Amino acid sequence: GFDVELKSLNINRILKWQTILNFTFYKDRVKEYLIERTFASEYVSIPGDVPISGVEGKPVYSIYAYRWAGLDPNTGEAQGYLNGEVSKDYQAITGTETKAEDLEYFGSAIPTKFGSLINSVSYKSINLQVGISFKLGYYFRRSSINYTELFNNWRGHSDYASRWQQPGDEVHTYIPVNQYSANFERDAFYNGSGILVEKGDHIRLQY
């Protein structure tokens, strides 16, 4: 990677205005990884916890996900892919029958471009600084409803209000139906699926 810093003095009188731009470009890839992984679930992260991918040619921290096939229009259940076919066999999808190459790869979990733009304006003894930061070129997995956690630990999520409840809802929601039963594999598939992966690119007013 490389770092760039540019400074400019835009006004240099009683009123002074200075600008500083910082920009960093970062890229990494795995050249060799000696730990063998056989289960796709070992590559799928949960929100806030991204494991080392260990896939040669890919970033050290990468976002992988189970392939999403939408909601069943009749039942509202989450659907994935197993051996190229639409399936609701969550145990098989999250278990030994899904390999790493069956997963969907999105990209780096770490920003590959980031920096800041700082404007400083001063007049006599008064100084104002406005800092804008940006992070680009990465993905993250957002959290959603986990029915097992809901039933066992009373841990809810705002997505619950948008869940599938009747045929036709699948047109405007991807939140699975509440089947009023705990199923760890079902929740592991949904929470590890590609529908919950989003680009993390953002610009923020830092201060």
Side-chain angles (χ1 to χ4, degrees), residues 5-198:
E5 182 178 80
L6 300 175
K7 295 182 179 180
S8 67
L9 186 57
N10 309 309
I11 299 176
N12 189 20
R13 299 188 180 91
I14 297 178
L15 175 70
K16 297 181 184 296
W17 172 26
Q18 184 179 18
T19 300
I20 302 175
L21 171 65
N22 293 288
F23 180 80
T24 297
F25 173 80
Y26 166 86
K27 184 178 182 180
D28 72 329
R29 63 183 176 88
V30 176
K31 295 185 68 176
E32 186 179 12
Y33 198 69
L34 302 180
I35 300 176
E36 184 178 357
R37 288 175 170 170
T38 56
F39 302 142
S41 59
E42 296 178 284
Y43 297 85
V44 177
S45 63
I46 60 174
D49 179 24
V50 181
I52 293 175
S53 65
V55 179
E56 293 183 12
K58 294 291 192 293
V60 175
Y61 295 99
S62 300
I63 297 293
Y64 289 88
Y66 301 114
R67 295 187 181 276
W68 176 254
L71 298 179
D72 186 318
N74 298 311
T75 65
E77 296 171 279
Q79 301 178 122
Y81 287 96
L82 183 63
N83 299 321
E85 302 289 334
V86 176
S87 173
K88 291 186 286 187
D89 187 347
Y90 308 117
Q91 185 173 9
I93 294 174
T94 61
T96 59
E97 295 189 41
T98 300
K99 306 302 180 186
E101 53 267 26
D102 298 323
L103 297 173
E104 184 176 3
Y105 168 74
F106 286 87
S108 174
I110 297 176
T112 56
K113 304 176 187 69
F114 53 91
S116 63
L117 177 65
I118 302 170
N119 278 290
S120 177
V121 178
S122 62
Y123 177 76
K124 295 184 178 180
S125 61
I126 300 173
N127 182 272
L128 171 66
Q129 285 191 340
V130 178
I132 297 174
S133 65
F134 56 90
K135 295 182 180 180
L136 310 170
Y138 76 110
Y139 293 82
F140 74 100
R141 186 188 313 281
R142 75 174 192 83
S143 62
S144 186
I145 186 67
N146 184 311
Y147 290 114
T148 300
E149 287 289 325
L150 177 64
F151 297 137
N152 292 344
N153 301 313
W154 292 95
R155 187 175 298 158
H157 194 282
S158 58
D159 280 354
Y160 183 81
S162 302
R163 71 194 183 281
W164 189 99
Q165 299 184 68
Q166 60 187 4
D169 285 351
E170 69 280 355
V171 175
H172 55 77
T173 186
Y174 54 83
I175 314 301
V177 65
N178 182 0
Q179 295 182 292
Y180 299 97
S181 63
N183 184 320
F184 176 80
E185 288 84 7
R186 179 187 65 205
D187 289 317
F189 164 70
Y190 169 62
N191 283 274
S193 65
I195 194 65
L196 296 179
V197 176
E198 299 182 11

